[in-house]
Amino acid sequence: MGWLYLILAGLGEVFGVAGINRINEKKDWQSYAIFTVGFLFSFGFLTLAMESIAMSTAYAVWTGIGTVGSVVLGMLFYGESKEWRRMLYMSMVLAAAVGLKLIS
Amino acid sequence: MNRNWMIVLIAAVFEVAWVMGLKHAETPNQWSGTGIAILVSMVLLIKASQKLPLGTTYAVFTGLGTAGTVVVEMAVFGEPFHIAKVLLILLLLGGVVGLKTVTPDKKTKGGA
Protein backbone atom coordinates (compact mmCIF):
# COMPACT_ATOMS: atom_id res chain seq x y z
CA MET A 1 0.00 0.00 0.00
CA GLY A 2 2.85 2.39 0.82
CA TRP A 3 3.85 2.78 -2.82
CA LEU A 4 0.27 3.39 -3.93
CA TYR A 5 0.05 6.17 -1.30
CA LEU A 6 3.33 7.59 -2.55
CA ILE A 7 2.06 7.74 -6.16
CA LEU A 8 -1.14 9.47 -4.99
CA ALA A 9 0.98 11.92 -2.96
CA GLY A 10 3.05 12.73 -6.06
CA LEU A 11 -0.11 13.29 -8.14
CA GLY A 12 -1.49 15.56 -5.40
CA GLU A 13 1.67 17.63 -5.66
CA VAL A 14 1.16 18.01 -9.42
CA PHE A 15 -2.31 19.45 -8.70
CA GLY A 16 -0.95 21.72 -5.97
CA VAL A 17 1.68 23.12 -8.33
CA ALA A 18 -0.89 23.47 -11.12
CA GLY A 19 -2.91 25.48 -8.55
CA ILE A 20 0.06 27.81 -7.92
CA ASN A 21 0.43 28.32 -11.68
CA ARG A 22 -3.28 29.11 -11.99
CA ILE A 23 -3.12 31.54 -9.07
CA ASN A 24 -0.36 33.40 -10.94
CA GLU A 25 -2.71 33.80 -13.89
CA LYS A 26 -6.16 34.01 -12.30
CA LYS A 27 -6.86 34.68 -8.61
CA ASP A 28 -10.31 33.09 -8.43
CA TRP A 29 -11.51 30.66 -5.74
CA GLN A 30 -11.07 27.65 -8.03
CA SER A 31 -7.33 28.33 -8.27
CA TYR A 32 -7.01 28.46 -4.48
CA ALA A 33 -9.16 25.33 -4.15
CA ILE A 34 -6.95 23.35 -6.55
CA PHE A 35 -3.84 24.56 -4.69
CA THR A 36 -5.21 23.75 -1.20
CA VAL A 37 -6.83 20.41 -1.98
CA GLY A 38 -3.82 19.32 -4.07
CA PHE A 39 -1.31 19.94 -1.29
CA LEU A 40 -3.51 18.58 1.53
CA PHE A 41 -3.97 15.41 -0.51
CA SER A 42 -0.24 15.31 -1.24
CA PHE A 43 1.03 15.73 2.34
CA GLY A 44 -1.68 13.43 3.70
CA PHE A 45 -0.73 10.55 1.43
CA LEU A 46 2.99 11.23 1.89
CA THR A 47 2.49 10.80 5.65
CA LEU A 48 0.71 7.48 5.08
CA ALA A 49 3.42 6.34 2.63
CA MET A 50 6.16 7.08 5.16
CA GLU A 51 4.63 4.66 7.66
CA SER A 52 6.15 1.85 5.58
CA ILE A 53 8.73 3.53 3.32
CA ALA A 54 12.05 5.07 4.44
CA MET A 55 12.06 8.88 4.73
CA SER A 56 14.72 9.54 2.06
CA THR A 57 13.21 7.10 -0.45
CA ALA A 58 9.70 8.48 0.05
CA TYR A 59 10.85 12.09 -0.28
CA ALA A 60 12.94 11.44 -3.41
CA VAL A 61 10.18 9.50 -5.18
CA TRP A 62 7.54 12.08 -4.15
CA THR A 63 9.66 14.89 -5.63
CA GLY A 64 10.33 12.78 -8.73
CA ILE A 65 6.67 12.01 -9.40
CA GLY A 66 5.76 15.66 -8.78
CA THR A 67 8.40 16.91 -11.22
CA VAL A 68 7.72 14.37 -13.95
CA GLY A 69 3.96 14.90 -13.54
CA SER A 70 4.31 18.66 -13.96
CA VAL A 71 6.45 18.19 -17.07
CA VAL A 72 3.95 15.71 -18.57
CA LEU A 73 1.12 18.16 -17.80
CA GLY A 74 3.08 20.94 -19.52
CA MET A 75 3.65 18.74 -22.58
CA LEU A 76 0.01 17.61 -22.81
CA PHE A 77 -1.84 20.85 -22.05
CA TYR A 78 0.58 23.74 -22.60
CA GLY A 79 2.39 22.44 -25.68
CA GLU A 80 5.80 22.44 -23.97
CA SER A 81 8.66 20.83 -25.84
CA LYS A 82 9.09 17.06 -25.94
CA GLU A 83 12.78 17.25 -26.79
CA TRP A 84 14.97 14.20 -26.21
CA ARG A 85 16.79 15.52 -23.12
CA ARG A 86 13.51 15.94 -21.23
CA MET A 87 12.49 12.39 -22.23
CA LEU A 88 15.88 11.09 -21.07
CA TYR A 89 15.64 12.83 -17.68
CA MET A 90 12.09 11.57 -17.19
CA SER A 91 13.17 8.01 -17.90
CA MET A 92 16.00 8.40 -15.35
CA VAL A 93 13.49 9.44 -12.68
CA LEU A 94 11.09 6.62 -13.51
CA ALA A 95 13.81 3.96 -13.71
CA ALA A 96 15.22 5.08 -10.34
CA ALA A 97 11.77 5.04 -8.74
CA VAL A 98 11.13 1.51 -9.99
CA GLY A 99 14.58 0.46 -8.74
CA LEU A 100 13.90 1.94 -5.30
CA LYS A 101 10.60 0.07 -5.17
CA LEU A 102 12.35 -3.20 -6.06
CA ILE A 103 15.06 -2.89 -3.40
CA SER A 104 12.82 -1.64 -0.59
CA MET B 1 27.01 33.74 -1.14
CA ASN B 2 24.25 36.00 -2.41
CA ARG B 3 21.40 36.66 0.01
CA ASN B 4 18.78 34.98 -2.20
CA TRP B 5 20.75 31.74 -2.38
CA MET B 6 21.03 31.88 1.41
CA ILE B 7 17.21 31.96 1.50
CA VAL B 8 17.12 28.86 -0.74
CA LEU B 9 19.44 27.09 1.71
CA ILE B 10 17.24 28.01 4.69
CA ALA B 11 14.13 26.89 2.76
CA ALA B 12 15.81 23.51 2.22
CA VAL B 13 16.57 23.18 5.95
CA PHE B 14 12.85 23.72 6.70
CA GLU B 15 12.03 21.22 3.94
CA VAL B 16 14.12 18.52 5.62
CA ALA B 17 12.53 19.47 8.96
CA TRP B 18 8.97 18.85 7.73
CA VAL B 19 9.95 15.60 6.02
CA MET B 20 11.31 14.43 9.41
CA GLY B 21 8.10 15.65 11.00
CA LEU B 22 5.78 13.75 8.65
CA LYS B 23 7.69 10.56 9.41
CA HIS B 24 8.35 10.98 13.14
CA ALA B 25 5.97 13.56 14.68
CA GLU B 26 3.78 12.22 17.49
CA THR B 27 2.64 15.06 19.74
CA PRO B 28 0.31 17.91 18.64
CA ASN B 29 3.23 20.34 19.08
CA GLN B 30 5.42 18.32 16.76
CA TRP B 31 2.63 18.16 14.17
CA SER B 32 2.10 21.93 14.37
CA GLY B 33 5.83 22.45 13.96
CA THR B 34 5.71 20.22 10.89
CA GLY B 35 2.86 22.27 9.39
CA ILE B 36 4.72 25.51 10.08
CA ALA B 37 7.90 24.11 8.50
CA ILE B 38 5.94 23.23 5.33
CA LEU B 39 4.63 26.80 5.08
CA VAL B 40 7.99 28.43 5.87
CA SER B 41 9.84 26.35 3.29
CA MET B 42 7.24 27.10 0.58
CA VAL B 43 7.13 30.83 1.31
CA LEU B 44 10.93 31.15 1.38
CA LEU B 45 11.27 29.18 -1.85
CA ILE B 46 8.68 31.33 -3.64
CA LYS B 47 10.37 34.48 -2.30
CA ALA B 48 13.82 33.39 -3.48
CA SER B 49 12.56 32.23 -6.88
CA GLN B 50 11.19 35.69 -7.63
CA LYS B 51 14.76 37.02 -7.69
CA LEU B 52 16.65 33.98 -9.02
CA PRO B 53 16.31 31.88 -12.20
CA LEU B 54 13.36 29.59 -11.50
CA GLY B 55 14.67 26.30 -12.94
CA THR B 56 18.04 26.58 -11.19
CA THR B 57 16.43 27.61 -7.90
CA TYR B 58 14.15 24.58 -7.84
CA ALA B 59 16.99 22.28 -8.93
CA VAL B 60 19.28 23.47 -6.12
CA PHE B 61 16.43 23.34 -3.59
CA THR B 62 15.46 19.77 -4.56
CA GLY B 63 19.08 18.67 -4.48
CA LEU B 64 19.60 20.10 -0.99
CA GLY B 65 16.31 18.64 0.27
CA THR B 66 17.07 15.17 -1.09
CA ALA B 67 20.66 15.12 0.17
CA GLY B 68 19.45 16.46 3.52
CA THR B 69 16.86 13.70 4.03
CA VAL B 70 19.41 11.00 3.13
CA VAL B 71 22.02 12.39 5.54
CA VAL B 72 19.55 13.04 8.39
CA GLU B 73 18.03 9.58 8.04
CA MET B 74 21.45 7.97 8.51
CA ALA B 75 23.00 10.43 10.98
CA VAL B 76 19.98 11.07 13.22
CA PHE B 77 17.78 8.02 12.83
CA GLY B 78 20.52 5.40 12.42
CA GLU B 79 19.35 4.05 9.07
CA PRO B 80 22.11 1.80 7.65
CA PHE B 81 23.99 2.93 4.50
CA HIS B 82 22.71 1.08 1.43
CA ILE B 83 24.85 1.79 -1.60
CA ALA B 84 22.14 0.70 -4.08
CA LYS B 85 19.58 2.99 -2.46
CA VAL B 86 21.91 6.00 -2.44
CA LEU B 87 22.89 5.42 -6.08
CA LEU B 88 19.24 5.14 -7.16
CA ILE B 89 18.38 8.33 -5.25
CA LEU B 90 21.30 10.05 -7.04
CA LEU B 91 19.99 8.80 -10.41
CA LEU B 92 16.52 10.10 -9.54
CA LEU B 93 17.97 13.43 -8.40
CA GLY B 94 19.97 13.68 -11.65
CA GLY B 95 16.74 13.30 -13.62
CA VAL B 96 14.85 15.85 -11.50
CA VAL B 97 17.66 18.42 -11.64
CA GLY B 98 17.96 17.83 -15.39
CA LEU B 99 14.23 18.42 -15.91
CA LYS B 100 14.26 21.58 -13.78
CA THR B 101 17.23 23.11 -15.58
CA VAL B 102 16.24 22.15 -19.12
CA THR B 103 12.64 23.35 -18.74
CA PRO B 104 12.02 26.80 -20.25
CA ASP B 105 12.38 29.46 -17.57
CA LYS B 106 8.87 30.85 -17.46
CA LYS B 107 7.69 32.30 -14.17
CA THR B 108 4.18 30.90 -14.57
CA LYS B 109 5.07 27.32 -15.43
CA GLY B 110 7.54 26.12 -12.85
CA GLY B 111 7.62 22.77 -11.12
CA ALA B 112 7.89 22.36 -7.37
Side-chain angles (χ1 to χ4, degrees):
Chain A
M1 274 314 258
W3 284 83
L4 177 65
Y5 292 148
L6 195 49
I7 291 169
L8 292 173
L11 295 179
E13 200 205 354
V14 176
F15 278 93
V17 172
I20 295 183
N21 292 338
R22 242 190 90 131
I23 289 171
N24 286 333
E25 286 159 13
K26 213 174 3 176
K27 292 187 175 23
D28 54 4
W29 71 267
Q30 287 98 329
S31 303
Y32 288 99
I34 296 171
F35 164 80
T36 311
V37 172
F39 278 113
L40 281 178
F41 195 88
S42 184
F43 289 112
F45 278 110
L46 183 57
T47 307
L48 289 174
M50 285 203 290
E51 284 176 7
S52 58
I53 300 171
M55 190 171 97
S56 58
T57 303
Y59 178 75
V61 173
W62 176 77
T63 306
I65 294 175
T67 307
V68 168
S70 293
V71 171
V72 169
L73 208 66
M75 287 176 176
L76 291 179
F77 297 106
Y78 298 100
E80 285 182 10
S81 99
K82 299 186 180 73
E83 59 146 334
W84 69 271
R85 280 181 305 173
R86 304 184 87 197
M87 294 301 185
L88 173 72
Y89 291 134
M90 283 205 277
S91 18
M92 280 165 64
V93 173
L94 296 176
V98 171
L100 285 167
K101 161 88 176 81
L102 292 177
I103 63 163
S104 74
Chain B
M1 188 167 31
N2 157 330
R3 182 168 168 273
N4 290 307
W5 286 111
M6 199 68 210
I7 295 176
V8 176
L9 178 66
I10 298 167
V13 171
F14 277 94
E15 179 93 349
V16 176
W18 73 247
V19 176
M20 275 167 56
L22 285 193
K23 173 101 188 172
H24 297 282
E26 280 162 11
T27 66
N29 276 346
Q30 288 170 345
W31 280 112
S32 321
T34 303
I36 292 168
I38 289 176
L39 290 178
V40 172
S41 99
M42 274 188 171
V43 168
L44 289 178
L45 182 62
I46 290 171
K47 198 174 154 57
S49 67
Q50 287 166 346
K51 305 268 174 57
L52 296 167
L54 193 60
T56 318
T57 308
Y58 281 130
V60 169
F61 175 75
T62 312
L64 290 172
T66 307
T69 54
V70 171
V71 170
V72 163
E73 182 175 78
M74 289 174 195
V76 180
F77 298 102
E79 180 89 2
F81 178 82
H82 289 298
I83 183 75
K85 182 170 122 179
V86 172
L87 287 177
L88 284 168
I89 288 177
L90 279 175
L91 176 67
L92 193 149
L93 184 59
V96 169
V97 168
L99 283 172
K100 304 286 196 199
T101 45
V102 102
T103 296
D105 199 4
K106 276 182 280 181
K107 289 281 179 202
T108 50
K109 299 210 173 65

